[in-house]
Amino acid sequence: MLNLKNPDLYNNRETSWLQFNTRVLKQALDESLPLLERLKFLAIYGTNLDEFYMIRIAGLKKLFAAGIVVSSADKLTPLQQLREIREYLHQEQQVAEHCLVSILKKLEHEGIKVKDYHELSQGQKHYLNRYFNENIYPVIIPIAVDATHPFPHLNNLSFGLIVKLRDSDNASIERFGIIRVPRVLERFVELENDIYIPIESIVAEHVEDLFPGYSLIKFASFRVTRNADIEIEEEEADDFLEILEEGLKLRRKGAMVRLEVGSDGDEEIVNFFNRHTNVYQDDIFRFHTFLNLSSLWQIVSNKRFAHLLLEPFKTKTLPPLDHSENIFATLEKQDILLFHPYESFDPVVMLIQTAAKDPDVVSIKMTLYRSGKDSPIVKALMGASEAGIQVTVMVELKARFDEENNLIWAKALEKAGAHVIYGIKGFKVHAKATLITKKKNGKLKQYAHLGTGNYNPSTSKIYTDMSYLTSKDEITNDMTRFFHFLTGFSKKGKLNELYMSPSQIKPKILSLIQNEARKKSDGRIIAKLNSLVDEDVIRALYKASQAGVKIDLIVRGICCLKPGIEGVSENIRVISILGKYLEHARAFYFKNDEAGVYISSADWMPRNLTRRIELLTTIKDQKAKEKIVQILKLQCADNSLAHELQSDGSYIKVKHDDIKTINNHLLLEDYVNKVTKASAKESMGTLEQIMSNIFNEENNSAV
C-alpha cells in the first residue's frame, strides 16, 4: 500500500504560492493584453510580494530562529524553504524588471512617459524645482547619521534615499545620511503631457538643499520591509480593542526582513545601511528600475488612458431583482444565487439598506471582515441602530491589513448604538453572513445572506464571489444559532444545514469526499477554492482518485496536492484561472451527495478549517444548484485563462482548442448582457436554462 504521507506527494506551500505570483507576472508579460492591463498585473505582483515577505518570510524566519525543523507535509525545513525562495525570487526579479522596461518603452508610443529629472527640459526642471520647494521640502525628512545622531527607526515599507556627503569646508570629512520620503507624497510627480517623474529623482537633485554645507558624493534609493504579522496574546487582553491598537503600532517596528536598493547602491552604501539594520545578504535586492512595483497603480489609474485597459464591464442586476418589488417579498417566493461581479452586488447592499428603513424589521445581525473605507453597508447599519432596530455586528479586528479600518467602523457602530463583538477569543471570524428578522402577520420572519466574499461593494466589482439569498426556515434557524454562538458562550455549537468551523466543516468535507470514493468510478467532485493545503483533505482526495473518482479542482493560488501521479492522483486535474477578475469564490459539487452543492467562506487550509469561524452553506434551491454546477463546468472547460498544475509543481498554460476558445470571464459577461437585453418573451425559462443554452452554443463539446 502506498504511503500517502510521503513528502514527495506534496508541493511546498510557499513555493506553490511563488508559482501563483509567477502566473500573475506572466499576465504582465502577455503581449495580447492592453499595456496598462499588463502594468496593473505588475503592480499586483509587487503588492503580493510585499505581503509575502511581511507575513510568510517573516514567519519562516521566526520558525528557523525557534529551532523548528519540520513545519509542513513536504518536510522541508524553514531554512531549506528560505533558500529556495530567495533563489527563486532573485532570478524572477530580472524577469520582472525586464517586463517593466519593456512595458514602459511601449507606453512611450502611447503618450505615457516615465523620466528621470536629468532627462527633462530646462522649463520642466524649473517647474519641478518650484514643486520641490512648495510640496516636498516642507515634509521631507533629512536625517544625519553619526555618533550623535543615531540611525533612525524606519517603519514598514519606508522609502527614501541613502546619501554620502562631503563637508564643503573640509573635503576630508565625509558623512552618511538618510532622507525619508513620507507616504503623503505621491510616488511619481506628474507633469503635463503625461510625464511621470519618480520622486527620488527630484529629491536627489536637491540633497544639498536638505543638507546645507555639504555636497553630494553619491546616493541610492531604498525601501525596507518588516515583519507585519501581529501577535496578540489574547489570554492577557482585558481590552481587545486597546491591545489591537497597540499591536498596529508595533507592526511598524517589526523585525526587518527585506531591503530593496536602487541601481546606484554600491557596496559602500549598502554596507553602511546594513550595519544599522542587519538584513540577511540574500534578502537584499538590488534593482535597476525604480523601487516599489505596487506604486504603478498611480500610472494605471490615469483615466485619460482607460483605452489601454481591458474594456470595463458594467455589472447588472438580473431578474427577479431588477423590478420594484420589495426584496423581502421576492425572497419569500424564491432563493437567489448571485455570481459577482457579473451580477451586481447592489441587491445585497439594497437588502441591508431596505431592512434598515423598514419599521417592521426587529433586528439585523451581521459579520464584517473587510468592508472597505466608505461602506454603504456600515452606514445603513448605523442608521438602523439609530432608528431603534437591534443591530448586532461581529467586526473582525484581526482581518490582516484591515485592522485599522475595522477599528474605525467598530467605534462608529458602537457610537450609533449597535452591539459590536470584537472577535472570538482564539479564532478569526471569517464567515460572511447576514440575518434579518422582521414582523410579518403577527409572526417573526427571517431573511439571510450567505456569501463567499466580503461585504465590500468596491472589491465585489473585481472579485468573483457568490451570494446566496434565502428565507428558508432551515437556513435562517441555523443562522440564529450561529449568531447566538458568536454573541454568547458555547463550546458545542452545532448547525444542521450550515456547517461551522472549527468543529464541523472539515469532518463534513472529508465525509463528502469519502462518500464519492465509495461510488468509485461513478464518483465525481468539482471544487473551486483559493488554496488547498490541508493534509487530511489532500489524502482523502488521493484515496478518492485511487478509487476511480474523477476530480476537478479549480484552485487559484496555493495547491499542495500533486495531480497526475500514477497510482495516487491520475484522476485529479488542477487548474488555476487568472484573468480580468480575481477568482475568489469557494463552491463545491459532489455528485452522489443528497444536497450535492455547497458554497463556503473557507478554503481547504488548516487555518480555515481549524483556526477560524467559517461557514459551509448547503444550497437548498434546485435552480441555484444548477447555476453553480454550470459555472463550475464552464471554468473547468476554460482554455484561455486556465493554467494546469503538473505533477512536478509547475504550471502550463492550457492551450486553445483549434475550434473553440473558451474564456469563462468573457462568456459570463456575455451571458449577463444577453439576459439583460432579452425581452420578457425571449426570457422564457429560467436564467439557468438561458445560461446553459449559451454555454452549449459556445463550448458544447468541452463541457
Side-chain angles (χ1 to χ4, degrees), residues 165-292:
L165 307 164
R166 177 175 289 119
D167 191 317
S168 301
D169 298 325
N170 186 343
S172 65
I173 298 176
E174 296 178 349
R175 302 177 68 180
F176 283 96
I178 298 288
I179 302 172
R180 291 179 60 181
V181 179
R183 293 182 199 178
V184 295
L185 297 172
E186 288 196 317
R187 181 68 182 80
F188 302 96
V189 175
E190 189 174 355
L191 299 179
E192 290 182 359
N193 302 319
D194 301 294
I195 299 173
Y196 291 86
I197 315 301
I199 193 168
E200 67 271 27
S201 174
I202 303 167
V203 173
E205 291 296 321
H206 295 85
V207 169
E208 294 172 11
D209 297 327
L210 295 166
F211 295 94
Y214 288 86
S215 58
L216 178 65
I217 300 173
K218 56 186 174 183
F219 75 94
S221 55
F222 75 89
R223 186 168 179 257
V224 300
T225 310
R226 290 185 176 275
N227 179 352
D229 204 11
I230 297 174
E231 287 189 9
I232 296 173
E233 298 296 335
E234 295 181 76
E235 295 291 344
E236 300 174 12
D238 293 326
D239 188 334
F240 191 72
L241 202 65
E242 184 179 325
I243 202 164
L244 185 70
E245 288 174 325
E246 190 61 33
L248 287 170
K249 295 175 188 174
L250 291 173
R251 169 178 282 172
R252 304 180 196 124
K253 303 177 182 179
M256 202 173 290
V257 292
R258 180 180 60 169
L259 170 63
E260 297 166 284
V261 184
S263 57
D264 295 316
D266 62 15
E267 285 302 313
E268 184 183 25
I269 279 185
V270 172
N271 288 339
F272 153 73
F273 193 90
N274 210 25
R275 281 200 302 273
H276 300 278
T277 57
N278 197 30
V279 178
Y280 186 68
Q281 282 296 324
D282 287 344
D283 290 320
I284 298 174
F285 292 80
R286 292 173 171 82
F287 283 79
H288 295 94
T289 55
F290 48 79
L291 307 182
N292 190 5

Side-chain angles (χ1 to χ4, degrees), residues 296-354:
L296 294 170
W297 281 110
Q298 185 182 342
I299 301 174
V300 172
S301 61
N302 187 329
K303 289 184 170 56
R304 291 188 297 279
F305 292 86
H307 62 282
L308 296 178
L309 290 162
L310 288 173
E311 185 179 351
F313 175 74
K314 187 175 180 181
T315 63
K316 308 293 195 301
T317 300
L318 301 185
L321 296 175
D322 61 337
H323 52 67
S324 58
E325 183 181 47
N326 183 288
I327 191 168
F328 295 122
T330 302
L331 292 182
E332 287 165 17
K333 295 175 186 175
Q334 66 181 97
D335 291 357
I336 294 172
L337 190 285
L338 304 176
F339 191 35
H340 314 300
Y342 314 99
E343 296 176 82
S344 176
F345 192 72
D346 289 348
V348 179
V349 177
M350 181 176 66
L351 174 69
I352 295 158
Q353 289 176 332
T354 302

Side-chain angles (χ1 to χ4, degrees), residues 8 132 145 192 215 240 306 313 387 439 466 482 493 526 546 598 617 652:
D8 293 339
F132 174 84
V145 179
E192 290 182 359
S215 58
F240 191 72
F313 175 74
K439 296 175 188 172
M466 292 182 181
F482 170 70
I526 308 177
Q546 290 174 324
Y598 302 81
T617 301
I652 295 177

Side-chain angles (χ1 to χ4, degrees), residues 27 37 40-41 44 310-315 339-343 459-465 528 556 577-584 635 641 663-670:
Q27 294 293 107
E37 197 73 24
K40 180 183 79 174
F41 278 109
I44 294 170
L310 288 173
E311 185 179 351
F313 175 74
K314 187 175 180 181
T315 63
F339 191 35
H340 314 300
Y342 314 99
E343 296 176 82
T459 57
S460 72
K461 293 180 174 67
I462 53 175
Y463 288 20
T464 73
D465 272 305
K528 175 178 173 58
R556 186 193 79 217
I577 293 173
L578 277 92
K580 185 175 182 179
Y581 304 112
L582 179 78
E583 295 293 332
H584 192 255
Q635 293 206 319
L641 306 178
N663 180 319
N664 83 92
H665 289 179
L666 295 183
L667 279 172
L668 285 162
E669 287 181 353
D670 184 54

